[in-house]
């Protein structure tokens, strides 16, 4: 991570060095190129193929963040955190930006061994020119497939293998990635819902106790949620809830 941080700061410093002289004087030191984008009719088959390749590349780049997120631990983490906020009944607290940011950093933490392996075995050799693009893609996918196989249930994987109506795989290496990814996603959703159910139990008990107390006191018009919310927050603070939730999420991937 320190290496990536150094590269990031180096890029920023280089950009600042380029921009600062142009701002200080009226005449820019770095020439600004003139870009012309036009649309012309394709006259040869290779032009059509190139246009389709560009369209496909732009589509993949647009969906790349979603594809990468669904192949990591982000799905389970963000669903569990959403269940926690619903169980506390705190409306929009914490805000969505905080929950998504926390989920992203927890994803980086849990996926760091696999990302480092993909970087060392696939990306860096490809950037150095020692391996081809196909080999680099295979090496990058290996640790990601290893992670997904560890978190995927056998019955979920069997579901999509049977739906493909193709030859049965004899080993994990024979399972296509397009079959593994949806199996992994529904397994993650099931695990997240199981954790969410366990999160709801203590808060439901608090709601039931508060509602019963208000009914016994004849306070029918008082919303139970208004009274139970401080008690649920107090319970969550006393048991160090954020520590327990994060600890349970991290251990659920091992």
């Amino acid at each position: 991570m320190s290496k990536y941080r150094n590269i990031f700061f180096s890029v920023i410093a280089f950009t600042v060095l380029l921009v600062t002289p142009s701002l200080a004087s009226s005449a820019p030191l770095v020439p600004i190129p003139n870009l012309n984008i036009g649309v012309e009719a394709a006259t040869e088959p290779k032009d059509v193929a190139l246009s389709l390749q560009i369209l496909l590349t732009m589509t993949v780049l647009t969906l790349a963040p979603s594809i990468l997120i669904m192949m990591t631990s982000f799905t389970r983490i963000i669903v569990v955190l959403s269940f926690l906020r619903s169980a506390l009944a705190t409306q929009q607290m914490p805000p969505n930006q905080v929950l998504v940011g926390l989920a992203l950093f927890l994803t980086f933490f849990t996926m760091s061994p696999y990302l480092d392996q993909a970087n060392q075995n696939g990306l860096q050799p490809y950037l150095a020119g020692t391996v081809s693009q196909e080999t680099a893609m295979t090496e990058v996918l290996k640790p990601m497939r290893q992670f997904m196989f560890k978190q995927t249930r056998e019955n979920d994987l069997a579901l999509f293998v049977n739906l493909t109506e193709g030859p049965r795989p004899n080993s994990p290496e024979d399972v296509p990635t397009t079959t593994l990814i949806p199996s992994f996603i529904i397994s993650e959703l099931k695990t997240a819902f199981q954790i969410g159910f366990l999160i709801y139990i203590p808060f439901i008990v608090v709601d039931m106790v508060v509602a019963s107390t208000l009914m016994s006191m004849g306070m029918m018009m008082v919303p139970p949620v208004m009274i139970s919310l401080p008690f649920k927050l107090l319970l969550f603070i006393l048991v160090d809830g954020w520590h327990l939730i994060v600890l349970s999420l991290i251990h659920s991937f091992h």
Side-chain angles (χ1 to χ4, degrees), residues 9-242:
F9 286 126
S10 299
V11 172
I12 292 179
F14 182 72
T15 305
V16 172
L17 290 176
L18 288 178
V19 174
T20 303
S22 62
L23 296 178
S25 59
S26 57
L29 299 180
V30 179
I32 301 177
N34 184 15
L35 299 179
N36 294 321
I37 301 177
V39 178
E40 299 178 356
T43 57
E44 298 181 5
K46 64 178 182 179
D47 295 334
V48 178
L50 181 60
S51 301
L52 293 177
Q53 291 178 1
I54 295 175
L55 179 61
L56 180 61
T57 302
M58 296 299 295
T59 303
V60 172
L61 289 177
T62 303
L63 301 176
S66 300
I67 296 174
L68 294 177
I69 284 176
M70 300 307 290
M71 295 173 60
T72 62
S73 57
F74 181 83
T75 301
R76 182 188 305 184
I77 295 174
I78 192 61
V79 171
V80 170
L81 294 180
S82 300
F83 272 124
L84 174 63
R85 185 172 64 179
S86 299
L88 286 171
T90 54
Q91 302 300 325
Q92 294 298 321
M93 298 300 295
N96 291 330
Q97 293 86 346
V98 175
L99 289 185
V100 173
L102 177 60
L104 284 175
F105 279 104
L106 290 178
T107 301
F108 292 149
F109 181 81
T110 56
M111 298 297 298
S112 58
Y114 303 95
L115 295 178
D116 291 341
Q117 184 178 351
N119 179 58
Q120 294 175 4
N121 298 337
L123 181 59
Q124 293 302 324
Y126 175 70
L127 295 178
T130 58
V131 296
S132 62
Q133 183 178 1
E134 292 77 8
T135 304
M137 288 295 297
T138 302
E139 293 298 327
V140 168
L141 281 177
K142 278 184 179 180
M144 305 303 297
R145 286 172 55 89
Q146 179 184 359
F147 171 78
M148 288 189 289
F149 270 118
K150 290 173 61 177
Q151 308 301 327
T152 304
R153 292 178 171 83
E154 293 184 4
N155 58 340
D156 294 331
L157 184 59
L159 169 65
F160 286 94
V161 170
N162 294 330
L163 290 176
T164 57
E165 299 180 354
R168 296 295 180 266
N170 299 320
S171 63
E173 288 75 15
D174 297 334
V175 178
T177 304
T178 54
T179 302
L180 176 60
I181 292 177
S183 307
F184 167 75
I185 293 173
I186 64 175
S187 294
E188 287 291 281
L189 290 175
K190 181 177 181 180
T191 303
F193 273 66
Q194 291 174 343
I195 299 176
F197 171 76
L198 297 176
I199 291 175
Y200 260 97
I201 292 178
F203 299 113
I204 289 178
V205 172
V206 174
D207 287 332
M208 294 176 62
V209 171
V210 171
S212 301
T213 304
L214 291 177
M215 290 182 63
S216 63
M217 296 175 61
M219 304 174 64
M220 303 294 185
M221 303 302 295
V222 179
V225 177
M226 183 182 302
I227 306 301
S228 63
L229 178 58
F231 289 100
K232 289 192 288 187
L233 293 177
L234 179 61
L235 174 64
F236 191 71
I237 294 172
L238 291 176
V239 300
D240 199 359
W242 289 113

